[in-house]
Amino acid sequence: MICDYEGSDYRTRFWENADRAYEDAAERVALAHLLPPRGARVAEFGAGFGRLADLYTGYDEVILLDYSRSLLQEAMQKWGSDPRFKFVAADIYHLPLAPGILSAATMIRVIHHIADVPAALAQIRRAIAPGGAFVLEFANKRNLKAMLRYLVRRQTWNPYAPEPVEFVALNFDFHPKWMLAALRAAGFDVRAKRSASYLRADFFKRVLPLAAMVRIDAALQPTAALTLLSPSVFVQSVAIGQWENAPSQRVPPGSEAIFRSPRSGQPLRREDDALICDADGTRWYAHGNFYDFKEPI
Ligand SMILES: C[S@@+](CC[C@H](N)C(=O)[O-])C[C@H]1O[C@@H](n2cnc3c(N)ncnc32)[C@H](O)[C@@H]1O
């Protein structure tokens, strides 16, 4: 089951026409602290319309991957002329990437739509070279607001229970201990955490200027080392494993050798506007810097 954003007005409804400048800025602070600023190849999984893409411009190659072609089109309007960028329509559960090709990856505001977290993390782990960084943002069920609401019985689900809560279909909040254990089980070594968006409430937005909110958030983020009670949590981890399993990270930027058939995991060859997998007989649309691995053509 995939939370389908095809044709959605996510950019305008959720960000541009809503009062979320604070959340956007707070997330940028966390990401800038946790993601190595430079490197060979970075991918954002569930990149949407490329809201955070300017934070990846220190990399030689940037892959924005999302299930929504329409959101990727919006990302292309802004970043399409930058030769370092590739726009990949694909499902995180079936990544079209060769093992170990990424030196870093991020996933922000996406895992709350993922019902099978171990399956998604396994795909991501496979694509990252050993030693590569992965920055994951997740929605924290054990946050201050949920704890208070549970205390005064205005919320039925228990914020202290370890299992994820699906509060709306395909929208999950996670307990930090559960998510950190899932990362470790997938082959990631957790290195650092940041608590983001403690001030995510209409009251603070009314009384505090944006710049002050962002400064306070930045000061509070490192408290994640002591306790995680914010609605949003950023985790930096590093892929563990053997270098010999990741030879394809040495593929130069711009090469299409980074791709694999999402059906069989086998290599592809270019023929006009298609990438063809001789092993499984699939053909995938590829034109310019846009690649479509949702359905074969
Ligand atoms: C809430 S938006 C976040 C977009 C972006 N990361 C940001 O923070 O602005 C969630 C995104 O995850 C994508 N998504 C959800 N499930 C996916 C899946 N299985 N494979 C690829 N993308 C997925 C959606 O298409 C959507 O663009």
Side-chain angles (χ1 to χ4, degrees):
M1 286 282 284
I2 296 173
C3 192
D4 198 348
Y5 277 64
E6 194 62 61
S8 99
D9 57 357
Y10 174 66
R11 176 172 55 85
T12 48
R13 180 182 44 78
F14 194 85
W15 292 103
E16 292 176 4
N17 299 339
D19 189 8
R20 290 208 169 82
Y22 158 67
E23 285 88 341
D24 178 57
E27 290 170 20
R28 287 168 175 279
V29 171
L31 190 50
H33 268 91
L34 297 178
L35 183 70
R38 279 172 290 283
R41 184 177 292 118
V42 66
E44 181 176 349
F45 296 111
F49 62 93
R51 177 174 65 97
L52 301 165
D54 54 297
L55 295 174
Y56 308 135
T57 52
Y59 283 78
D60 300 337
E61 184 162 42
V62 181
I63 299 169
L64 300 185
L65 182 145
D66 201 277
Y67 196 68
S68 164
R69 296 182 184 108
S70 59
L71 288 181
L72 284 176
Q73 290 296 331
E74 293 181 17
M76 286 176 75
Q77 278 164 22
K78 181 148 187 209
W79 296 100
S81 60
D82 187 325
R84 290 170 301 174
F85 276 69
K86 284 189 166 69
F87 305 87
V88 179
D91 176 10
I92 289 164
Y93 291 117
H94 300 98
L95 287 179
L97 297 175
I101 52 122
L102 302 174
S103 37
T106 69
M107 187 155 79
I108 319 293
R109 289 182 174 263
V110 175
I111 207 158
H112 66 280
H113 291 318
I114 296 291
D116 190 345
V117 168
L121 290 181
Q123 288 279 303
I124 292 169
R125 167 64 196 81
R126 190 170 162 275
I128 303 175
F134 176 44
V135 180
L136 172 71
E137 185 274 348
F138 70 90
N140 178 11
K141 72 182 286 196
R142 195 196 56 187
N143 66 69
L144 282 174
K145 185 176 168 194
M147 288 158 70
L148 282 173
R149 283 171 58 85
Y150 185 64
L151 186 70
V152 298
R153 295 177 199 282
R154 292 192 58 192
Q155 175 184 293
T156 51
W157 52 267
N158 178 353
Y160 307 101
E163 69 278 358
V165 56
E166 189 173 15
F167 57 94
V168 174
L170 278 182
N171 280 263
F172 300 87
D173 283 352
F174 301 93
H175 195 289
K177 279 193 182 146
W178 188 94
M179 186 56 83
L180 296 178
L183 278 165
R184 290 186 188 107
F188 290 103
D189 184 23
V190 174
R191 296 279 170 89
K193 303 180 277 282
R194 288 219 148 208
S195 289
S197 290
Y198 264 117
L199 307 182
R200 186 187 290 175
D202 290 345
F203 168 74
F204 291 120
K205 290 181 180 177
R206 268 200 307 275
V207 301
L208 288 172
L210 174 63
M213 290 180 77
V214 178
R215 270 201 305 276
I216 295 168
D217 202 281
L220 288 174
Q221 286 188 10
T223 62
L226 304 170
T227 184
L228 288 167
L229 302 175
S230 54
S232 169
V233 174
F234 280 69
V235 184
Q236 181 208 58
S237 56
V238 165
I240 48 183
Q242 301 296 318
W243 270 104
E244 55 267 30
N245 294 336
S248 45
Q249 202 217 0
R250 294 178 198 105
V251 174
S255 166
E256 290 175 336
I258 64 168
F259 292 118
R260 293 286 184 274
S261 164
R263 293 276 166 91
S264 62
Q266 295 302 310
L268 302 161
R269 65 179 167 84
R270 165 70 78 159
E271 195 181 283
D272 302 324
D273 275 352
L275 289 178
I276 297 170
C277 180
D278 292 320
D280 63 20
T282 53
R283 299 166 60 90
W284 308 90
Y285 179 73
H287 182 81
N289 51 8
F290 176 73
Y291 299 83
D292 194 335
F293 291 102
K294 283 177 72 167
E295 289 294 334
I297 49 178

